Amino acid sequence: MVILHLPIGLLIGVAVLELRAWYKRRKGDPTALGAPPSLLWISAVATVFAASSGWILHQESGYSNEDMLVWHERLGIATAVGATLCAILHARRNETGYRACLALTIGTLIPAGHIGGNMIHGEGFLIEPFAASANSENEEFVPMATEDPEAVDTPILASYEEHLAPLLKARCSACHGKRKQKGELRLDSPDWISIGGEGGEVLTPGDPDDSEMIIRLSLPLDDDDHMPPENKRQPTAAELDLVRAWIAAGASFTAPFPLAEGAELPAIPLVEEEEELGPAPADAIAALRNKLVHVQVVAADTNELWVDFSAVCDQIGDREVFSLLAPLEDHIADLTLSRTRISDKAMVLVGDMLRLRRLDLRQTDITDVGLAELNGHETLEELNLSQTKLNANALETLLSLNQLQKVWLWDSGLEVDSDTLPQAAVGVVIDNAEITAVGTAIPAPAVVPAVASLDPINTACPVTGKPVDPNYSVVFEGQVIAFCCPNCPKTFWNEPEAFRVKLP
Amino acid sequence: MLMTRRRFFATGAQSLGAGIGALALQSLLGGDAYAGSALGPTDYPQGPHFRPKAKRVIYMHMEGAPSQIDLFDYKPGLQKWYDQELPESIRQGQRLTTMTSGQSRFPVAPSLFKFNRYANNQDGMWLSELLPHTATIARDMCMVRSMHTDAINHEPAITFFQTGNQQPGRPSFGSWMSYGLGSANSNLPTFVVMITQGIGNMQALSERFWGSGFLPSEHQGCKLRSGDDPVLYLNNPAGVSREERRRMLDLVADLNEQEYQRSLDPEVRTRISQYEMAYRMQMSVPELTDISDEDEATLEMYGPDVRKPGSFAANCLQARRLAERGVRFIQLYMRGWDQHNNLPKELRAQCNAVDQAQTALIKDLKRRGLLDETLVLWSGEFGRTAYSQGTLTKENYGRDHHPRCFSLWMAGGGIQPGIVYGKTDDFSYNIIENPVSVHDLHATLLHCLGFDHKRIGFRAMGRHMRLTDVAGNVVTPLLA
């Protein structure tokens, strides 16, 4: 950048000094001196250096807009030649030539610099703040591709329903939704969004920069108040623009709103997108293994994890659960905490595990209070609560689990049968494991039908024609064929087709 | 150990193991995402191919082969065949053992025992009066009456059942599972074997039935003995403290690690990890075998023998305790089912020893929510003949080995509960519907555990080796 800006500054400096000298001479001060020759030479050398480094950079390519680049290069070279000529003419004391040349050089310098600026900062960086008064002068020496006029005329329209709602659902509602309301905030419906959270409203319609939502989204990633949290998937630039444009347009839940000029609609996040899960952090896996805790991917085709504390259950309490499992919160699909020393506190973390399908809390001190952390869990399918310390309040949690297929409640303090749990209709198996039940003996039927008839179909031996002895029989094509002696079956098997006619 | 040419290539060829091939592959792939563990050779690329229904196996092997005709495969029609010659149409000249092939006649011996039909999830399950407790879990049992095997004598038949091959030398089912699933409890062996002595005729029980064959030897079964010393030589000798033992192990591990760096032999790593395992087992095994934390009702459920170390009841209780501690493959051998003669008396005694205990195991697993994730298998190595071996009387008979058909039952993880599968003929001699081979059974069990039986393998002796060898089909009607 010094290479770039130095010649611009130097040449303009030269021009200013010359103008000042010219002005002073006109005021009657003939001794007024213009730019010193050393400055001129430095300018010339710096300009040549800048132009040639630009030319080298171009050879190595990099910029997409070839048109701009070519013009920048031509004007740059012209400036370099001009600056050198200025220095030479000045040295030869050719005053007229020097002044004309300096004017021309400045004339090439300004558009060269401007195109350079466009290339770095994007087209129209200079005029954007004054966009209302489009400057036609600039276009003379900025021969670049202009924007599609139609795009400017009809901005892309988006709406809360079609674009914002799915975005908020995919990126926010896991923690700010039906199941969880972190910061007392829900973002899953217009009403909830309007109410805001414990810190007040999250939107200032018309003013994105004053809206808590945008402020939180824009904080540095490592800031504790940044949303979504650092370890969660972050919104894309297009998604941020969408939210910003929505608030700027008044944050209406019904009226469509235009996107900022040039902005594009982000792809609508699908809920399935949530399923794509990267590998779990290796250091968290290693930490578990160092403690001899079992951890394994559920299957080869997924990054979801099964974590089992059985081996070291008597050393595991709430603190261990938090420190070991918090980094794996999103990955755990199967969690065995049976016989550990956890209390209800650990359930705060367990309730946050969005992919949890199977949870084993057998023989722990979990009560209905801890269990309530699972309220409304959307993926839990199997829940082992045998030998826990529940009471009747736990039923409320069980009723709120809409994916629950199996729950074990033996010795849990909660007595439930399928009549009191209406979910029986959706296939919940309440397995209190009645252990004293005696198998019901069904009386034997009087006659059990034979599964295959053992009676020979023939009375005469197909080989000899003599009466048969059932002890010498074979099964042929599903039927029992008897013979008169042990030798005849061998004869028969040699050529069964020949004896077929002898069979009844 | 010298690095011979043969060892070098063998090591390199164990592409699934910790050999050179694996090391090279791992460095090429930039390492496995979970290769951060300090646990040594158990870091194979392991785990199920797809989401498993079962996480572990409890395999109750009835060594000697219980009689299917007297326990499971009800043949009321045989009563009128008492002492009549087994029809040739049924026997079809099939191979017999030399114990009965010389008999002048093959008199049909109907079962002396009454059968009842118990409610299951179909139209009922027939069970012998010898198994009154087991009858109470008919709704949980999946009865297969159409098993068949290739071998006709105990040793090859058990070897076939355990390893998928009649010749010794292949890894046993438990070793395959240790290799495939890995350990879920680093303080205990992955594959545990417990043995109960039977009442009657007992066949030899070779330790190689739980051998690891060509798999690294850390995968072989660990036998838990009954009594005060469940694992021999586990405790420190008198005068050696735990701290001293720790220092010794650290030094030995250093030396072994140097040897491993030189030879790259995975067996050295196995040795290091087994020393560490033994050290941790000094704490975990006494905790495991101390049943003082079991409540009285539970002990009562398993029956009076439960306090007698080594009894089937005691071992069933241990099996549950091992299951809840994450041990992957628990194998209980019950010896003494080989009733060539005196079958009625001996069978009754054998059934008495197992009936209540095995029922309690299923119920105990079930109420704790463990049955759903534990695959339970109860089987002999073959069946027994419909005809009597030796003298047949109204009160007594014997039965010879019969590989053409036999029954087994399963329960738990991934298995369809409360069904009966397969049919035999009126003499329980030939299968007439839905035959299931030992390979089919293995393929089905592997499926429940999340494995495609064709993909879990190990390269040895110049080819890809599998538990199901080159056969086996998953029997889908048996799956839940």
Side-chain angles (χ1 to χ4, degrees):
Chain A
M1 291 310 277
V2 175
I3 294 173
L4 249 165
H5 290 138
L6 189 66
I8 298 176
L10 289 171
L11 283 173
I12 290 174
V14 169
V16 168
L17 287 173
E18 290 297 344
L19 277 173
R20 196 188 68 143
W22 173 73
Y23 178 75
K24 280 191 172 177
R25 280 197 287 268
R26 275 195 56 177
K27 287 275 177 183
D29 180 5
T31 60
L33 287 173
S38 56
L39 185 64
L40 270 170
W41 281 114
I42 291 170
S43 305
V45 170
T47 316
V48 169
F49 190 70
S52 40
S53 59
W55 184 77
I56 289 165
L57 270 175
H58 181 202
Q59 301 311 305
E60 290 167 4
S61 108
Y63 293 99
S64 52
N65 196 330
E66 236 354 76
D67 256 6
M68 270 203 228
L69 190 56
V70 167
W71 274 99
H72 180 61
E73 189 177 274
R74 286 176 189 165
L75 292 167
I77 292 169
T79 308
V81 172
T84 316
L85 263 175
C86 284
I88 294 169
L89 289 170
H90 187 263
R92 293 191 168 191
R93 314 229 179 262
N94 184 340
E95 283 293 315
T96 324
Y98 164 65
R99 280 179 194 162
C101 187
L102 185 60
L104 269 172
T105 305
I106 299 295
T108 55
L109 171 73
I110 290 167
H114 181 76
I115 297 172
N118 276 347
M119 283 160 54
I120 301 293
H121 303 290
E123 284 180 40
F125 76 102
L126 198 57
I127 56 171
E128 205 164 47
F130 320 100
S133 57
N135 193 333
S136 59
E137 267 178 34
N138 283 334
E139 285 179 17
E140 283 178 15
F141 45 80
V142 187
M144 54 191 135
T146 51
E147 289 147 8
D148 181 0
E150 278 182 33
V152 179
D153 290 342
T154 55
I156 303 168
L157 288 179
S159 71
Y160 168 79
E161 180 123 354
E162 199 181 338
H163 304 95
L164 255 297
L167 177 65
L168 294 173
K169 179 167 169 47
R171 303 272 185 268
C172 316
S173 65
C175 295
H176 302 294
K178 183 173 135 214
R179 209 164 85 59
K180 267 186 208 323
Q181 301 86 39
K182 292 201 170 168
E184 294 171 25
L185 175 65
R186 281 182 71 160
L187 294 173
D188 56 340
S189 78
D191 290 347
W192 288 115
I193 297 173
S194 308
I195 289 170
E198 61 185 355
E201 294 183 358
V202 290
L203 301 177
T204 308
D207 190 352
D209 293 319
D210 190 44
S211 298
E212 185 68 11
M213 187 184 278
I214 294 293
I215 293 170
R216 294 296 194 101
L217 284 164
S218 318
L219 283 172
L221 193 56
D222 55 0
D223 192 301
D224 282 347
D225 289 334
H226 176 85
M227 282 291 147
E230 198 175 356
N231 56 348
K232 306 283 178 184
R233 180 168 167 173
Q234 296 298 317
T236 64
E239 287 167 356
L240 285 175
D241 288 346
L242 177 72
V243 180
R244 189 175 270 280
W246 174 57
I247 299 174
S252 164
F253 293 106
T254 49
F257 59 92
L259 293 191
E261 215 170 275
E264 283 179 14
L265 272 177
I268 297 171
L270 300 170
V271 181
E272 284 87 325
E273 214 173 293
E274 286 284 291
E275 297 295 319
E276 279 177 32
L277 182 70
D283 49 349
I285 301 282
L288 281 171
R289 290 191 169 164
N290 282 338
K291 292 259 184 212
L292 300 180
V293 178
H294 178 65
V295 53
Q296 185 172 36
V297 285
V298 171
D301 55 0
T302 172
N303 284 310
E304 292 179 7
L305 295 178
W306 168 36
V307 178
D308 187 339
F309 287 93
S310 297
V312 287
C313 54
D314 51 354
Q315 301 156 32
I316 300 298
D318 297 333
R319 190 181 309 167
E320 289 75 19
V321 168
F322 268 96
S323 65
L324 291 168
L325 297 188
L328 299 170
E329 188 184 299
D330 288 347
H331 285 83
I332 296 174
D334 185 346
L335 179 60
T336 306
L337 285 165
S338 57
R339 306 192 303 134
T340 57
R341 305 269 189 265
I342 58 163
S343 76
D344 285 337
K345 282 180 202 151
M347 293 302 293
V348 176
L349 177 67
V350 175
D352 282 352
M353 297 178 176
L354 298 176
R355 285 185 174 78
L356 197 62
R357 296 194 209 198
R358 190 192 148 279
L359 175 62
D360 187 348
L361 296 169
R362 180 173 48 94
Q363 222 177 319
T364 58
D365 291 339
I366 296 300
T367 73
D368 55 302
V369 177
L371 197 68
E373 293 292 335
L374 295 173
N375 279 348
H377 198 288
E378 285 170 354
T379 56
L380 200 61
E381 293 170 1
E382 296 184 21
L383 182 56
N384 192 339
L385 296 168
S386 54
Q387 297 174 289
T388 51
K389 309 218 170 350
L390 305 182
N391 61 27
N393 296 337
L395 187 61
E396 196 183 325
T397 302
L398 296 183
L399 287 167
S400 73
L401 302 172
N402 56 14
Q403 289 300 311
L404 193 66
Q405 290 163 17
K406 290 178 182 170
V407 56
W408 288 270
L409 295 167
W410 170 64
D411 202 14
S412 65
L414 178 63
E415 291 281 334
V416 175
D417 57 45
S418 46
D419 293 335
T420 54
L421 197 57
Q423 267 162 306
V426 292
V428 177
V429 176
I430 304 296
D431 201 339
N432 284 315
E434 182 58 59
I435 59 157
T436 49
V438 176
T440 354
I442 303 169
V447 178
V448 173
V451 288
S453 172
L454 299 168
D455 299 326
I457 59 165
N458 57 331
T459 51
C461 175
V463 180
T464 62
K466 292 180 192 168
V468 299
D469 179 343
N471 281 333
Y472 308 121
S473 47
V474 300
V475 178
F476 175 63
E477 294 179 348
Q479 291 175 314
V480 178
I481 300 159
F483 298 88
C484 62
C485 64
N487 290 325
C488 287
K490 291 174 194 160
T491 318
F492 174 82
W493 281 125
N494 283 340
E495 210 178 350
E497 288 307 315
F499 295 102
R500 192 187 285 277
V501 290
K502 303 277 181 65
L503 295 173
Chain B
M1 234 171 318
L2 285 176
M3 174 53 82
T4 59
R5 183 192 63 88
R6 191 172 285 247
R7 179 175 292 284
F8 180 84
F9 287 110
T11 318
Q14 286 164 6
S15 54
L16 291 169
I20 290 175
L23 291 174
L25 187 66
Q26 196 171 1
S27 63
L28 278 175
L29 297 175
D32 166 34
Y34 299 121
S37 152
L39 293 182
T42 41
D43 282 342
Y44 297 109
Q46 61 194 196
H49 300 135
F50 40 85
R51 286 177 195 273
K53 293 283 176 67
K55 288 174 176 162
R56 68 189 74 86
V57 178
I58 297 178
Y59 179 178
M60 299 182 259
H61 187 97
M62 302 297 127
E63 197 214 16
S67 164
Q68 80 282 7
I69 305 182
D70 296 288
L71 297 179
F72 308 115
D73 202 7
Y74 184 38
K75 296 299 169 191
L78 285 189
Q79 296 300 337
K80 63 178 188 220
W81 280 80
Y82 173 76
D83 205 20
Q84 291 185 54
E85 200 67 20
L86 180 71
E88 183 59 31
S89 61
I90 297 300
R91 197 168 93 68
Q92 294 176 36
Q94 292 162 14
R95 171 177 66 158
L96 303 177
T97 76
T98 50
M99 287 171 281
T100 53
S101 59
Q103 283 189 187
S104 55
R105 45 188 309 263
F106 299 102
V108 169
S111 177
L112 208 60
F113 303 103
K114 288 197 194 70
F115 275 69
N116 271 314
R117 196 159 57 134
Y118 294 93
N120 66 352
N121 300 330
Q122 291 173 330
D123 59 353
M125 179 184 290
W126 289 99
L127 275 174
S128 164
E129 59 176 339
L130 293 178
L131 299 169
H133 288 91
T134 309
T136 65
I137 52 168
R139 284 182 198 277
D140 298 308
M141 292 163 72
C142 169
M143 177 72 70
V144 182
R145 289 191 180 141
S146 50
M147 286 299 303
H148 61 96
T149 180
D150 296 352
I152 199 168
N153 278 312
H154 300 286
E155 189 78 9
I158 300 174
T159 308
F160 187 41
F161 233 97
Q162 302 305 326
T163 72
N165 195 296
Q166 291 187 53
Q167 274 75 43
R170 301 271 177 99
S172 67
F173 193 3
S175 298
W176 277 115
M177 286 303 90
S178 169
Y179 163 74
L181 290 168
S183 170
N185 183 339
S186 317
N187 294 331
L188 288 169
T190 316
F191 174 16
V192 168
V193 179
M194 287 179 289
I195 298 163
T196 304
Q197 305 304 328
I199 289 95
N201 183 23
M202 286 192 280
Q203 295 295 328
L205 190 61
S206 315
E207 300 238 346
R208 59 177 170 70
F209 290 151
W210 47 95
S212 57
F214 41 71
L215 292 177
S217 53
E218 64 170 311
H219 298 298
Q220 70 186 323
C222 172
K223 188 166 76 174
L224 283 193
R225 300 155 54 89
S226 56
D228 295 337
D229 209 3
V231 181
L232 284 181
Y233 316 117
L234 183 63
N235 294 326
N236 294 332
V240 175
S241 71
R242 195 160 163 81
E243 292 68 36
E244 279 175 279
R245 176 54 61 103
R246 180 70 260 167
R247 280 203 303 280
M248 189 206 83
L249 288 176
D250 288 344
L251 286 170
V252 172
D254 270 357
L255 291 171
N256 276 329
E257 184 60 30
Q258 285 177 31
E259 172 57 26
Y260 175 75
Q261 296 303 338
R262 198 180 65 80
S263 66
L264 293 179
D265 184 341
E267 287 296 303
V268 180
R269 279 277 173 89
T270 295
R271 182 60 66 92
I272 298 173
S273 76
Q274 296 306 82
Y275 279 146
E276 287 301 319
M277 168 77 79
Y279 180 75
R280 293 194 298 269
M281 280 168 67
Q282 288 183 335
M283 306 298 280
S284 62
V285 169
E287 191 271 333
L288 166 77
T289 53
D290 174 15
I291 57 167
S292 59
D293 58 340
E294 296 288 339
D295 60 62
E296 205 52 41
T298 303
L299 293 175
E300 205 173 293
M301 197 168 129
Y302 283 83
D305 282 352
V306 74
R307 294 176 205 275
K308 203 158 72 184
S311 70
F312 195 71
N315 285 354
C316 278
L317 178 64
Q318 280 311 335
R320 193 220 78 211
R321 292 172 66 86
L322 287 163
E324 66 184 347
R325 281 161 179 77
V327 170
R328 294 292 201 164
F329 203 96
I330 302 145
Q331 186 150 28
L332 307 185
Y333 279 98
M334 175 69 194
R335 304 179 68 189
W337 295 92
D338 192 21
Q339 288 112 15
H340 289 278
N341 41 49
N342 289 327
L343 182 139
K345 181 167 163 270
E346 288 183 10
L347 188 64
R348 192 183 291 277
Q350 288 286 112
C351 286
N352 267 338
V354 301
D355 181 39
Q356 186 175 354
Q358 70 196 21
T359 307
L361 174 58
I362 299 292
K363 288 181 174 175
D364 204 5
L365 289 172
K366 190 177 178 184
R367 67 180 182 178
R368 287 167 203 266
L370 290 166
L371 185 61
D372 244 44
E373 49 180 53
T374 306
L375 181 48
V376 182
L377 171 64
W378 190 104
S379 173
E381 61 266 27
F382 39 62
R384 304 205 81 89
T385 56
Y387 65 83
S388 176
Q389 177 176 355
T391 320
L392 170 69
T393 69
K394 282 285 181 190
E395 289 79 37
N396 199 8
Y397 50 90
R399 298 191 193 276
D400 197 5
H401 307 165
H402 186 61
R404 306 286 301 180
C405 71
F406 60 104
S407 306
L408 59 73
W409 60 269
M410 298 181 273
I415 292 294
Q416 185 73 254
I419 63 161
V420 175
Y421 184 78
K423 270 186 191 160
T424 58
D425 62 23
D426 278 355
F427 291 80
S428 190
Y429 209 90
N430 299 291
I431 293 163
I432 59 172
E433 204 177 289
N434 296 328
V436 178
S437 73
V438 174
H439 291 310
D440 295 338
L441 177 75
H442 286 157
T444 309
L445 298 176
L446 285 172
H447 181 90
C448 294
L449 292 153
F451 292 101
D452 174 353
H453 70 101
K454 290 177 182 166
R455 278 163 62 204
I456 173 169
F458 193 88
R459 197 168 170 82
M461 293 177 267
R463 73 167 172 91
H464 182 71
M465 293 291 195
R466 296 171 8 202
L467 176 61
T468 52
D469 200 39
V470 292
N473 290 301
V474 175
V475 187
T476 48
L478 300 181
L479 302 177

